Amino acid sequence: MKKKEKITINSKIILIILEILLLISLVINIYLFSIKKNINLLDENIVFFGDSITNGYKIEEFYPKNNVINSGISGNITENLLERMDDVYKYNPSKVFLLIGINDLNRGYSSDEILSNMQKIINNIKTHRKYTKIYIESIYPINRNVFEDKDYSFNEDITNDTIKEINDKIKDMCKENNVQYIDVFSNLLDSEGNLKDIYTKEGLHLSDLGYFKVTSSLSKYVSE
């Protein structure tokens, strides 16, 4: 073999090696970018998961410095949240704030049924997004006097005492699961133990002042 031919062959080998190294470098960079992207998602995304009370919460305005996602859907009950857990998973959130249960009560579901489904929601998040912190809000109070004034229909068997009893059970469940429980219920009450009238539109859903009060309960957990 001539010397020139040897040089040509060696050059080809060097080019092939360089191409392989370039390919390896590209794969590594893609992998590192993927990790960085997931870390960023984990650091930034905060999902508020619930029903119409969550849906009506203007979280982008209340938490402008945080990457918050409103995943509340009007009319949802605990079973609905179990059916749409992907609305949590797809954001790979660092935190999830869960508020659910009042629609279950309105439809006649028992506290045991609600707690069972909430436990499933906790289990699902811990299984599929194990680094996500879970925060469970107490079910908010209601105001029957405002219901009457606004001619708003709501299950007559449900009282604020009923809600307080299930909230106590939710609190115990959170403790058992090492999950943060947030008592928003108490912060929304008036002197008679009802949802304060200035905090609500019709006795159930919140006014802007109501959401300001909720934010005062949640903000430290959002920013921690």
Side-chain angles (χ1 to χ4, degrees):
M1 186 179 291
K2 297 179 180 180
K3 185 175 181 181
K4 186 176 181 180
E5 292 176 337
K6 286 184 178 180
I7 292 174
T8 302
I9 293 172
N10 288 337
S11 297
K12 288 182 178 179
I13 292 173
I14 291 173
L15 285 174
I16 290 171
I17 293 173
L18 287 174
E19 288 177 355
I20 292 172
L21 290 174
L22 185 62
L23 180 61
I24 293 172
S25 176
L26 180 61
V27 170
I28 291 173
N29 285 334
I30 291 173
Y31 175 72
L32 291 175
F33 175 79
S34 175
I35 291 177
K36 184 178 179 181
K37 184 178 179 182
N38 286 334
I39 289 174
N40 286 338
L41 284 172
L42 190 63
D43 288 341
E44 296 175 357
N45 290 350
I46 301 173
V47 174
F48 286 73
F49 197 38
D51 52 32
S52 58
I53 298 176
T54 294
N55 181 255
Y57 193 5
K58 300 173 184 177
I59 54 175
E60 295 86 357
E61 297 178 14
F62 283 103
Y63 308 103
K65 295 182 179 180
N66 301 96
N67 189 22
V68 290
I69 298 103
N70 192 320
S71 190
I73 294 181
S74 180
N76 267 195
I77 60 176
T78 52
E79 288 181 357
N80 297 132
L81 298 197
L82 284 169
E83 293 167 354
R84 62 182 187 93
M85 292 301 302
D86 282 343
D87 288 347
V88 172
Y89 304 152
K90 67 183 179 183
Y91 295 108
N92 196 24
S94 57
K95 299 174 183 176
V96 172
F97 286 81
L98 175 66
L99 173 62
I100 198 68
I102 194 66
N103 289 329
D104 297 67
L105 290 173
N106 189 35
R107 297 186 192 183
Y109 287 89
S110 69
S111 60
D112 288 342
E113 290 173 305
I114 296 170
L115 288 164
S116 176
N117 284 339
M118 290 181 75
Q119 181 66 63
K120 291 174 185 176
I121 293 169
I122 292 172
N123 292 344
N124 286 345
I125 295 173
K126 285 190 171 186
T127 298
H128 296 279
R129 291 294 182 271
K130 63 181 180 179
Y131 296 112
T132 298
K133 291 183 179 179
I134 303 170
Y135 300 80
I136 297 185
E137 301 176 53
S138 60
I139 298 173
Y140 297 175
I142 58 176
N143 190 316
R144 289 207 166 274
N145 295 326
V146 181
F147 284 164
E148 292 178 8
D149 291 342
K150 299 293 183 179
D151 195 26
Y152 188 81
S153 177
F154 195 80
N155 190 326
E156 295 182 357
D157 293 330
I158 306 305
T159 67
N160 283 312
D161 287 337
T162 306
I163 295 172
K164 188 177 184 304
E165 286 176 8
I166 188 172
N167 280 338
D168 288 340
K169 294 178 181 179
I170 292 172
K171 183 177 180 180
D172 290 340
M173 181 187 66
C174 288
K175 187 175 181 180
E176 292 170 2
N177 286 272
N178 195 27
V179 166
Q180 180 65 57
Y181 173 77
I182 306 174
D183 179 18
V184 183
F185 176 91
S186 298
N187 290 333
L188 294 174
L189 296 175
D190 62 17
S191 59
E192 297 179 354
N194 298 311
L195 174 60
K196 199 168 186 177
D197 55 7
I198 62 171
Y199 292 158
T200 184
K201 295 178 179 179
E202 78 300 73
L204 174 65
H205 296 95
L206 300 185
S207 63
D208 289 340
L209 281 176
Y211 283 117
F212 269 106
K213 192 65 175 179
V214 168
T215 302
S216 71
S217 297
L218 303 185
S219 58
K220 69 176 182 179
Y221 299 106
V222 172
S223 60
E224 68 177 8

